[in-house]
Amino acid sequence: MNQVLAGMRVLDFGRYISGPWCAALLGDLGAEVIRVERREGGEDRGVNPLSENGDGAMFLQCNRNKLSMTLDPQSFEGKEIKRKLVESADIVVLNLPDKTLRMLELDYETLAAIKPSIIFTNGTAYGNGGPYSDSVGYDGVGQVMSGAIYRSGTPEAPMRSAAAYVDFGTSLALAVGTLAAVIHRERTGEGQKVEGSLLGTALMMSNIMLMEQAVCKSDRVAIGNRSYVGAPSDLYRSKDGWVLVQIIGQPQFKRWCRMMGEERWLSDCRFASDELRAKNGDVLNGRMAEWCLSRTNAEAVAALGALSIPASPMLSPQQALEDPHIQAMGFFKSMDYPGLPTPAPIMDTPFLLSRTPGTIRTRAPLVGEHTDQILQQLGYDNEMMRSLREKNVI
């Protein structure tokens, strides 16, 4: 099967999510991805441990389709290996502040001097150019600084999302930028720097409410799972769980009123628009809550769905794994890994291409599993590799 990045080599110096997931997506699209990590393995290998050896779920997801080699890039011999790797590569992926990149001699200027056509992709916490640029941070940095957490939960108990959506969103943005840089290089032969940040991604996702604040000075605060842009809209308790219902627009509101037997509300000035319905949502949400409480999740979703009103049950992680639609769509690929008691469901490429689809071809690598293979490709023989090991270079 032809894949769009077949024949390209990616060096992945990233850790945790934003860099590694970007590199994994490039691997899904056919690139050969080499994860370069220290001799004892990266610190991101053990997050959410699954195996008897402590290998983590985050690592298994973000590092499929990769080869692993160990390297001390600051040693004399390690610098030479790094140079040869860069010469052999098309793309380098990282997620480190510029100050750290310069210290490790992994900055764009240093790598471009080795290979001018290199595409250098780097994700940082805050972006480069501001007073926080040299600071480090995780997904929560974006959530808390973009206004998202301020508007989540309640004013007394702001709530961070358990899903690392800022990290994964940054990975997707970096992957898009990298693919654009690949197209540019195909046309011109020029490499370039591709940059993204957790804060930039989070601000993009929060842009709508930031615009509203800038223009209207609305000073909105968190209101739980209710909505400022329509009603009824909330998570409602049912007989056997919780149901999310989100009604936006007059056509949906009309259908809902008729189903509820509340046609009188169609001429009620309190509910004449989405904004007014949100402002006066206590009545509408109360009626929706009463209706859901007398039904099971399945009954509520079926009745609302029959009228094309958006409604979904709240699923636990186990229920998500067992959901018939999720299973039918094949979102996950079951993959084994040394030490796992059972195969793990690894999320497949999150977009579909009809002619050149992404594929998961190999599991995440063990520490240094492919070091010898990669060094042999660079011209190192067994005696040379033995010497490198004795010197703790690999």
Side-chain angles (χ1 to χ4, degrees), residues 152-214:
S152 302
T154 66
E156 297 76 24
M159 190 68 64
R160 179 182 66 84
S161 170
Y165 69 85
V166 176
D167 259 325
F168 283 103
T170 302
S171 299
L172 287 166
L174 290 171
V176 170
T178 301
L179 293 174
V182 168
I183 293 171
H184 175 78
R185 188 176 60 191
E186 291 292 315
R187 293 173 176 170
T188 67
E190 298 173 335
Q192 63 180 299
K193 183 191 295 187
V194 178
E195 295 183 285
S197 68
L198 302 179
L199 182 55
T201 298
L203 290 170
M204 177 270 293
M205 293 179 172
S206 300
N207 196 191
I208 294 170
M209 62 186 185
L210 296 175
M211 281 193 287
E212 182 188 48
Q213 177 62 31

Side-chain angles (χ1 to χ4, degrees), residues 317-333:
Q318 185 61 45
Q319 289 172 323
L321 290 170
E322 297 170 352
D323 183 81
H325 179 80
I326 291 175
Q327 291 187 347
M329 288 296 296
F331 286 125
F332 297 108
K333 183 170 183 178

Side-chain angles (χ1 to χ4, degrees), residues 1-4 28-29 179 349-358:
M1 178 190 299
N2 289 327
Q3 292 189 287
V4 291
D28 287 3
L29 293 174
L179 293 174
T349 311
F351 49 82
L352 300 176
L353 298 172
S354 62
R355 295 191 182 276
T356 56

